[in-house]
Amino acid sequence: MTSAAMRARVHREVQTSAVVLEAESVAPGAELEPLARQLSDAAQITYTSGSTGMPKGVVASHGNVWAAIETVAAYLGIREDDRIAGLLPISGVFGANQMLCAVLTGATLVVPKSSIMNQVAAELREYGTTVLAAVPPLWMQLLQAPVFAAEPIPTLRILQNAGGHLAPAAVTQLREVQPQAGIFLQYGMTEVFRSTFLPPEEVAGRPGCMGRAMAGAEILVIREDGTECDAGEVGELVHAGPTVTQGYWNDPDRTADVYRAHPVRGAGVRAVYSGDMVRRDADGFFHFVGRRDRMIKTLGYRVGPDEVLDVLYSSGQITEGIVTAVEDAERGQRIVAYVVLAPDGALQTLRQYCRAELPRYMQPNEITALTDLPKLANGKHDLHALRDALAV
């Protein structure tokens, strides 16, 4: 279903065998005949953000979607009287999850009219919003908005982060400016919706942690040879369970690369190999290290970009940042950071802080200040667009 206005914005007619239904053609109060479906039938195709590669269309079944929203709504404690902020586009799994959790529980979805953070915060206050979800760059923008940061929004009771690692310094700041709200730190990916979460009561002691597996999910940390890692050892996160989706639309090669046999139970159970490098501590909590394809190899060491970015944020000198690498004949790779300075931030102070807080091999070799960092439609940073802009 779509609308005439939305179809008019598309640069070419969508070629599909499905029936295109325009909302304007449906009479008010009309009753549509439901179609019989199995839980294993495909329900939606959601394209990955493309922040680390070309977007892929992830095919999810009705059973996948149902398992995800039931589990997430349960551990968050979503209620019928909640007012959930629809800050994220519903074309992505995080934004769609907010909408579907509202449908499941009978809660209200509140969609801000503005994209200016001060005005968004004013609308959250005006409409008595109780649940707010965002990705890290959006949190950083909200924390810079006086209307959000100057005083608590009294109705807010749940804050959710997903879609990327939120620096501990930002977590601490969120707890300070909205102390009445519990913060859930979550990890997930389009291929499985959500994998782990850290509940609010654990955040103070583990602000940079991914948490433990959500109900129904089996999370393993696997070495390159397919065996399980010991506690404290870095390996690839592998997810099995009812939210493992069906694969990539019309892309059997990439499907076979990511959706593989369970590393312990074998070919009878499918699992998603995330490409994310994590470690599990002695208490069973997971900690994000970095994307396998973004790990920086410098001076013989492997460095996770987010480990460096956490330190940049903790300096208090920046509001946004991206850490990446360029090839270097002597080092293997050279660590490069692009940042947006805080109003009173200074590059010299930031460099001094890095020298004091990071071992030499982890210190950025270059730090470049920009006025803003490009973002995707879902609010995540767009590394490809940044590289293209700098190459011009």
Side-chain angles (χ1 to χ4, degrees):
M1 177 178 283
T2 184
S3 67
M6 183 63 71
R7 290 184 71 182
R9 291 170 56 187
V10 179
H11 68 280
R12 60 180 175 83
E13 187 65 24
V14 176
Q15 300 298 316
T16 176
S17 58
V19 175
V20 178
L21 186 62
E22 292 186 357
E24 296 88 346
S25 68
V26 181
E31 293 188 9
L32 302 178
E33 185 71 23
L35 296 174
R37 285 290 180 263
Q38 303 294 320
L39 286 177
S40 58
D41 289 341
Q44 64 185 37
I45 301 175
T46 305
Y47 278 82
T48 61
S49 64
S51 56
T52 57
M54 287 295 292
K56 303 176 288 288
V58 176
V59 182
S61 71
H62 289 271
N64 296 147
V65 176
W66 181 258
I69 62 172
E70 241 193 350
T71 303
V72 172
Y75 73 66
L76 291 175
I78 302 296
R79 310 185 306 229
E80 185 178 4
D81 62 343
D82 274 320
R83 299 176 71 80
I84 303 173
L87 206 60
L88 302 162
I90 61 173
S91 57
V93 292
F94 197 11
N97 188 268
Q98 305 308 298
M99 177 188 69
L100 293 173
C101 280
V103 172
L104 176 70
T105 60
T108 301
L109 186 71
V110 179
V111 181
K113 299 175 183 176
S114 176
S115 59
I116 299 172
M117 288 299 114
N118 257 331
Q119 295 178 12
V120 168
E123 290 185 59
L124 297 177
R125 192 180 300 274
E126 177 185 355
Y127 296 123
T129 305
T130 61
V131 181
L132 174 60
V135 295
L138 288 180
W139 283 125
M140 301 312 296
Q141 291 177 62
L142 277 167
L143 287 169
Q144 294 300 309
V147 175
F148 183 81
E151 61 177 316
I153 298 173
T155 55
L156 268 183
R157 69 182 191 88
I158 296 174
L159 304 178
Q160 305 177 58
N161 178 72
H165 172 70
L166 187 61
V171 173
T172 299
Q173 193 177 356
L174 270 175
R175 295 180 68 240
E176 291 172 350
V177 303
Q178 300 295 336
Q180 80 294 346
I183 303 176
F184 287 81
L185 300 180
Q186 304 164 107
Y187 164 87
M189 49 190 161
T190 308
E191 291 83 352
V192 296
F193 296 92
R194 208 73 56 86
S195 297
T196 67
F197 74 96
L198 185 72
E201 61 269 20
E202 294 282 357
V203 169
R206 308 175 190 270
C209 180
M210 295 164 57
R212 289 178 165 140
M214 70 176 191
E218 183 184 7
I219 307 299
L220 303 98
V221 185
I222 301 299
R223 303 184 182 101
E224 289 187 8
D225 65 3
T227 58
E228 288 192 73
C229 291
D230 297 326
E233 185 180 357
V234 175
E236 183 176 5
L237 184 145
V238 175
H239 178 126
T243 62
V244 170
T245 51
Q246 297 181 332
Y248 300 124
W249 178 249
N250 287 340
D251 197 339
D253 291 338
R254 285 201 284 189
T255 296
D257 185 52
V258 173
Y259 295 78
R260 290 184 258 156
H262 191 288
V264 177
R265 290 187 278 156
V269 179
R270 280 212 320 168
V272 165
Y273 287 67
S274 69
D276 288 332
M277 306 305 290
V278 304
R279 59 180 175 83
R280 185 186 65 253
D281 65 25
D283 297 322
F285 288 87
F286 295 91
H287 301 263
F288 186 79
V289 176
R291 285 285 304 170
R292 182 176 58 191
D293 54 6
R294 288 193 61 212
M295 292 296 288
I296 300 169
K297 298 177 182 178
T298 182
L299 297 173
Y301 294 92
R302 290 169 64 87
V303 176
D306 286 327
E307 296 177 293
V308 179
L309 190 57
D310 283 352
V311 173
L312 296 180
Y313 277 127
S314 68
S315 71
Q317 301 298 303
I318 71 169
T319 59
E320 292 185 69
I322 292 177
V323 174
T324 184
V326 295
E327 297 305 312
D328 185 279
E330 295 182 0
R331 294 172 173 268
Q333 288 183 308
R334 188 167 70 255
I335 301 174
V336 178
Y338 300 97
V339 301
V340 176
L341 291 172
D344 56 351
L347 274 179
Q348 183 60 28
T349 304
L350 181 60
R351 292 189 179 104
Q352 290 173 348
Y353 186 87
C354 289
R355 286 195 289 270
E357 297 295 325
L358 286 169
R360 187 168 183 176
Y361 71 89
M362 291 182 67
Q363 295 172 17
N365 304 106
E366 300 172 22
I367 304 178
T368 301
L370 302 172
T371 55
D372 61 78
L373 296 175
K375 297 177 184 65
L376 298 158
N378 60 10
K380 296 181 184 180
H381 286 133
D382 190 340
L383 183 56
H384 298 294
L386 175 63
R387 286 171 174 164
D388 290 344
L390 295 171
V392 174

